[in-house]
Amino acid sequence: MAVTGWLENLRAAEKTALLQDGRRKVHYLFPDGKEMAEEYDEKTNELLVRKWRVKSALGALGQWQIEVGEPALPGAGSLGPELITESNANPIFVRKDTKMSFQWRIRNLPYPKDVYSVCVDQKERCVVVRTTNKKYYKKFSIPDLERYQLPLDESSLSFAHANSTLIISYQKPKEVLVAESELQKELKKVKTAHSSNGDCKTQ
């Protein structure tokens, strides 16, 4: 029921699409004024970026909040090399999904794999990452499961570690896979503009 509800919200949203640089960029405007922007690989339909923006109580547009994809680095080009190196030493948390899994990468974690613990906190409906050496702790929710009102399943969770990066995967429930397939069918109905430069209109 909840899966259908979120899918209907997506269908009801005002949508515009733009094809640019091998990416299909889709902008959603919901009846409540919230905006969502997604970018898909043109060939594979893999989700590359999802971000949200809401208006303030006074009607002003807020900043885009990244849910999936690389966060923007404002002003990075003006930083000196030593400042960039210093900031890159901190753990960087990024979500990058695959077709079959929600996936998160935490970079700059040099500890061996047996130091990490990754589990589901059912009470808080989130994933918890901690290290036995107490050097790192993080908990995060899976917004997709919240929107579809689906339970978290510990058996769907796995992780790997390589090149100082902790890779956490959560296998997508079949309900999500079906809903994503239905959404792709819906997006094919949206008239898509083509552009070699510029960006998707989000105003």
Side-chain angles (χ1 to χ4, degrees):
M1 187 72 140
V3 173
T4 306
W6 173 240
L7 199 52
E8 288 305 315
N9 285 344
L10 293 174
R11 286 178 174 141
E14 182 182 327
K15 294 180 282 293
T16 55
L18 175 70
L19 195 61
Q20 179 185 38
D21 300 329
R23 294 188 177 200
R24 185 158 47 95
K25 302 181 178 183
V26 185
H27 177 262
Y28 304 76
L29 178 60
F30 296 94
D32 62 2
K34 285 183 182 177
E35 296 176 76
M36 181 175 77
E38 294 183 325
E39 296 182 19
Y40 293 89
D41 184 288
E42 179 188 357
K43 293 185 173 62
T44 66
N45 285 332
E46 185 175 326
L47 178 66
L48 304 173
V49 174
R50 179 187 291 137
K51 54 188 178 180
W52 292 85
R53 183 165 68 175
V54 298
K55 288 184 178 180
S56 70
L58 298 177
L61 288 172
Q63 295 292 316
W64 285 103
Q65 301 297 318
I66 302 286
E67 181 179 309
V68 178
E70 294 279 357
L73 297 174
S78 62
L79 293 176
E82 69 284 351
L83 292 179
I84 293 175
T85 302
E86 183 179 352
S87 64
N88 283 349
N90 296 322
I92 300 171
F93 181 83
V94 177
R95 176 172 162 184
K96 285 189 171 185
D97 289 356
T98 68
K99 276 284 187 184
M100 303 303 293
S101 298
F102 304 124
Q103 194 172 92
W104 302 263
R105 294 168 183 261
I106 311 176
R107 301 175 187 144
N108 300 328
L109 288 180
Y111 321 113
K113 183 181 178 181
D114 58 9
V115 165
Y116 304 98
S117 166
V118 181
C119 62
V120 165
D121 184 326
Q122 294 290 358
K123 185 177 180 181
E124 295 196 28
R125 287 184 57 80
C126 66
V127 177
V128 179
V129 184
R130 54 167 61 89
T131 57
T132 55
N133 60 10
K134 303 190 185 324
K135 296 289 188 181
Y136 186 79
Y137 176 86
K138 186 174 184 66
K139 59 183 180 180
F140 59 91
S141 63
I142 305 179
D144 308 73
L145 298 187
E146 295 298 324
R147 289 190 286 266
Y148 290 120
Q149 295 181 28
L150 293 171
L152 275 76
D153 182 357
E154 185 95 40
S155 66
S156 297
L157 194 62
S158 63
F159 70 95
H161 186 267
N163 302 318
S164 296
T165 300
L166 186 66
I167 303 169
I168 302 166
S169 300
Y170 187 98
Q171 186 175 347
K172 292 178 182 178
K174 63 180 183 299
E175 294 93 339
V176 171
L177 294 173
V178 170
E180 289 180 346
S181 177
E182 288 298 313
L183 176 59
Q184 288 305 314
K185 292 177 186 176
E186 188 72 23
L187 293 180
K188 286 180 180 177
K189 303 175 187 176
V190 180
K191 186 176 179 181
T192 302
H194 291 71
S195 175
S196 56
N197 50 45
D199 204 347
C200 210
K201 295 289 185 184
T202 55
Q203 296 288 345

